[in-house]
Amino acid sequence: MKASGTRLFIERVTREGRQEVEDFVAEEMPLTIILNNQELVTLLCSPEDLNYLAVGFLVSEGLLKTKEEIKRVLVDNHRGVVRVETTKENAEAGELIFKRLITSGCGRGASLSRAVNAGEMGKVTSEKKITAAEVFSLARDFQQRSQGYRTTGGVHSAALSDNQNILVFHEDIGRHNAVDKVFGQSILEGIATDDGTIIASGRISSEILLKVARQRVPVIISKSAPTDAGVSLAREMGITLIGFVRGGRMNVYAGGGRVTSGS
Amino acid sequence: MKASGTRLFIERVTREGRQEVEDFVAEEMPLTIILNNQELVTLLCSPEDLNYLAVGFLVSEGLLKTKEEIKRVLVDNHRGVVRVETTKENAEAGELIFKRLITSGCGRGASLSRAVNAGEMGKVTSEKKITAAEVFSLARDFQQRSQGYRTTGGVHSAALSDNQNILVFHEDIGRHNAVDKVFGQSILEGIATDDGTIIASGRISSEILLKVARQRVPVIISKSAPTDAGVSLAREMGITLIGFVRGGRMNVYAGGGRVTSGS
């Protein structure tokens, strides 16, 4: 869903002078996620689709796997709280959750997650192919959908596609949140991700790659750059990582076997 | 300091064909910060100037105020660990630190920090002025310094300026880290920030505003957009917030009294 903007009066200044103008800036709110009565984290995010964000966050952190585990998702938009109740007790995970969320703090702890998960998860083995023409077409559709950026200039976008169409699309002030919202909706609505393509507006770091790997998505596309750890992880996990999709060109950093030239 | 790049071989693909080319991508590493033997957090960052990052992070989190409190900063580049020893025990703060780092986790807990700190800190009262011409000139210098982006396309930059010259400049894959490195170096080298201007490449959220407010910096400039909470906080704290500095124009979102037209 499109991220909303707040209307403000600001001054536009040039060398020649200044004038008051109306402007729209991206909204930012704190969201606290509570899993089975345990307060886990407070994220800053765009105020839409908090249920998807909470579920996606839990999935990305490995605290939730399937829709069937979810008993209830209670959203309090006003207080900025989402409570997720699951069939699993997280008492068992108490120490682990705590440790992970700290090390995973601001940088989201790729070191720990990587050590723990990349090996366990196993390679992404989808035989899905994607043509260069499909990549360019998806990038164009994605750009057109990214309304929030054009209005406020302050949000990231992420989408899930079947290579022909965009199936799920979200915007958020947080690069991670946009991706988590996409996976949250996919889980809640039973949309398969394991032959899909993720399109993201932001930089592809190891943390984003881990989210994608966890959902077994074989292809990720961005108009931005990856980091070296993002590329390493993509190569290790068998994920196709395409960056810098711009002006009829793209850089394929990993998994080039899935990319076929031509249309 | 310039963020480094890792050399990789990748494929460049167009509709017409593909070729192997050499590319540079931004490096990403995990850094664990230990304050007086207490492990606080693991950040993902660019591998330069880890001492500045650690000190800047502690300062931004309110766990460290002055250079005089620092007994020792030990950097282990190989293991990705910085140990900071201070004259203050953080046992007292145990519970608080813990709580803050969790809520401040991925989103850096503006809600808590704001409630706790914005009021306590008091308004930024510097009478420093800046002309439109100075803003454009600084933005141009800043852009020219941002080598890392041009090489790898994957890093953010931040700088401290006295309105004439850039005094401190850092790049990092993390928007927050780049700003923390600037403040870390300022603290360690005794460079005053309270009449300075911060220039940042990324979006200006409430979290960035809080860092700037804590160091009593009166002006922040970005070529990107702010969030609504960033604007609110700037207005509340008396900070001049200038965004979208592009093509001879800028948007002044807060504190326009410090901005004088002309050259």
Side-chain angles (χ1 to χ4, degrees):
Chain A
M1 194 179 147
K2 185 182 168 312
S4 55
T6 300
R7 185 164 162 265
L8 287 177
F9 286 94
I10 64 159
E11 286 183 291
R12 186 151 293 152
V13 178
T14 64
R15 277 173 213 266
E16 287 71 40
R18 60 211 292 163
Q19 61 177 136
E20 193 179 60
V21 298
E22 192 186 338
D23 194 44
F24 287 85
V25 296
E27 264 184 271
E28 174 192 325
M29 73 171 279
L31 170 68
T32 299
I33 300 174
I34 299 175
L35 176 63
N36 298 328
N37 290 321
Q38 184 175 18
E39 187 178 320
L40 288 186
V41 73
T42 298
L43 306 168
L44 291 178
C45 62
S46 297
E48 292 82 19
D49 304 308
L50 302 181
N51 57 335
Y52 295 151
L53 176 55
V55 169
F57 176 85
L58 294 175
V59 162
S60 286
E61 293 295 322
L63 299 171
L64 182 66
K65 283 200 174 57
T66 63
K67 187 183 175 183
E68 288 63 40
E69 290 172 21
I70 302 172
K71 283 201 291 198
R72 205 155 29 171
V73 180
L74 299 167
V75 179
D76 182 338
N77 277 299
H78 184 66
R79 289 180 52 231
V81 175
V82 177
R83 291 177 175 273
V84 181
E85 293 173 20
T86 68
T87 53
K88 289 196 176 172
E89 281 300 315
N90 47 347
E92 41 161 76
E95 195 64 28
L96 178 71
I97 291 172
F98 229 46
K99 184 155 174 55
R100 284 199 53 180
L101 285 171
I102 292 173
T103 49
S104 91
C106 316
R108 304 274 182 110
S111 62
L112 186 71
S113 299
R114 252 185 100 162
V116 175
N117 304 318
E120 282 175 17
M121 282 193 282
K123 283 208 166 202
V124 173
T125 53
S126 166
E127 293 182 2
K128 185 86 173 182
K129 305 281 184 195
I130 189 166
T131 68
E134 283 170 338
V135 172
F136 295 129
S137 170
L138 284 177
R140 198 171 47 241
D141 288 356
F142 182 71
Q143 196 64 29
Q144 282 165 0
R145 290 284 287 270
S146 300
Q147 291 286 347
Y149 185 81
R150 287 204 296 270
T151 314
T152 67
V155 302
H156 282 288
S157 317
L160 173 69
S161 155
D162 60 4
N163 291 2
Q164 309 305 317
N165 299 297
I166 288 176
L167 307 176
V168 178
F169 178 89
H170 287 284
E171 293 183 321
D172 199 283
I173 55 161
R175 196 162 56 85
H176 295 262
N177 296 343
V179 173
D180 283 344
K181 282 179 177 177
V182 166
F183 287 132
Q185 184 176 356
S186 304
I187 291 271
L188 284 171
E189 297 185 358
I191 301 164
T193 56
D194 54 1
D195 272 337
T197 292
I198 286 289
I199 314 159
S201 65
R203 183 165 43 78
I204 307 299
S205 59
S206 61
E207 312 157 278
I208 299 290
L209 244 298
L210 271 177
K211 291 178 195 290
V212 165
R214 212 179 260 283
Q215 299 312 309
R216 320 308 294 158
V217 178
V219 182
I220 177 162
I221 294 174
S222 175
K223 69 171 167 34
S224 300
T227 63
D228 65 348
V231 174
S232 297
L233 197 56
R235 290 179 177 181
E236 192 184 326
M237 298 295 300
I239 292 170
T240 298
L241 169 55
I242 302 173
F244 278 107
V245 183
R246 296 174 185 182
R249 300 200 327 191
M250 67 182 90
N251 287 347
V252 181
Y253 293 92
R258 287 198 189 90
V259 184
T260 56
S261 293
S263 47
Chain B
M1 192 177 150
K2 186 182 167 313
S4 55
T6 300
R7 186 164 161 265
L8 287 177
F9 286 93
I10 64 159
E11 285 183 292
R12 186 150 293 151
V13 178
T14 65
R15 277 174 213 265
E16 287 72 40
R18 61 210 292 163
Q19 61 176 138
E20 192 178 61
V21 297
E22 192 185 337
D23 194 43
F24 287 86
V25 297
E27 264 184 270
E28 174 191 325
M29 72 171 278
L31 169 68
T32 299
I33 300 173
I34 299 175
L35 176 63
N36 299 328
N37 291 320
Q38 185 175 17
E39 187 178 320
L40 288 186
V41 72
T42 298
L43 306 167
L44 291 179
C45 63
S46 298
E48 292 83 21
D49 303 308
L50 302 181
N51 56 334
Y52 296 151
L53 176 55
V55 168
F57 176 84
L58 294 175
V59 162
S60 286
E61 293 295 321
L63 299 172
L64 181 66
K65 282 197 173 61
T66 64
K67 188 184 174 183
E68 288 62 39
E69 290 173 20
I70 302 173
K71 285 202 289 197
R72 208 158 23 176
V73 180
L74 299 167
V75 179
D76 183 338
N77 278 299
H78 184 65
R79 288 179 54 229
V81 174
V82 177
R83 290 177 177 272
V84 180
E85 293 173 21
T86 67
T87 55
K88 289 195 176 171
E89 282 300 317
N90 47 346
E92 40 161 77
E95 196 63 27
L96 178 70
I97 291 172
F98 228 46
K99 184 156 173 55
R100 284 201 52 178
L101 285 170
I102 292 174
T103 49
S104 91
C106 316
R108 303 275 183 112
S111 61
L112 187 69
S113 300
R114 250 185 102 163
V116 174
N117 303 316
E120 282 175 16
M121 283 194 283
K123 282 209 168 201
V124 173
T125 54
S126 166
E127 293 183 1
K128 185 85 174 186
K129 304 283 183 194
I130 189 165
T131 67
E134 284 170 337
V135 172
F136 295 130
S137 170
L138 284 177
R140 197 171 49 240
D141 289 355
F142 181 72
Q143 196 63 29
Q144 282 166 0
R145 291 283 288 272
S146 301
Q147 291 285 346
Y149 185 79
R150 286 205 297 271
T151 314
T152 66
V155 302
H156 282 288
S157 317
L160 173 68
S161 155
D162 60 4
N163 290 4
Q164 309 305 317
N165 298 296
I166 288 176
L167 308 176
V168 179
F169 178 89
H170 287 284
E171 293 182 321
D172 199 284
I173 55 160
R175 199 162 55 87
H176 295 261
N177 296 344
V179 174
D180 282 345
K181 283 179 177 177
V182 167
F183 287 132
Q185 183 175 357
S186 304
I187 292 270
L188 285 172
E189 298 185 355
I191 300 165
T193 56
D194 54 1
D195 272 339
T197 292
I198 286 289
I199 313 159
S201 64
R203 184 165 44 77
I204 307 299
S205 59
S206 60
E207 312 158 279
I208 299 290
L209 244 298
L210 271 177
K211 291 178 196 289
V212 165
R214 212 179 259 283
Q215 299 310 308
R216 320 308 292 157
V217 179
V219 183
I220 178 163
I221 295 174
S222 175
K223 67 170 168 35
S224 299
T227 63
D228 65 348
V231 174
S232 297
L233 197 55
R235 289 179 177 181
E236 191 183 325
M237 298 294 300
I239 293 171
T240 298
L241 170 56
I242 303 172
F244 278 108
V245 183
R246 296 175 186 184
R249 298 197 333 188
M250 67 183 90
N251 288 347
V252 181
Y253 293 92
R258 287 200 188 88
V259 184
T260 57
S261 292
S263 49

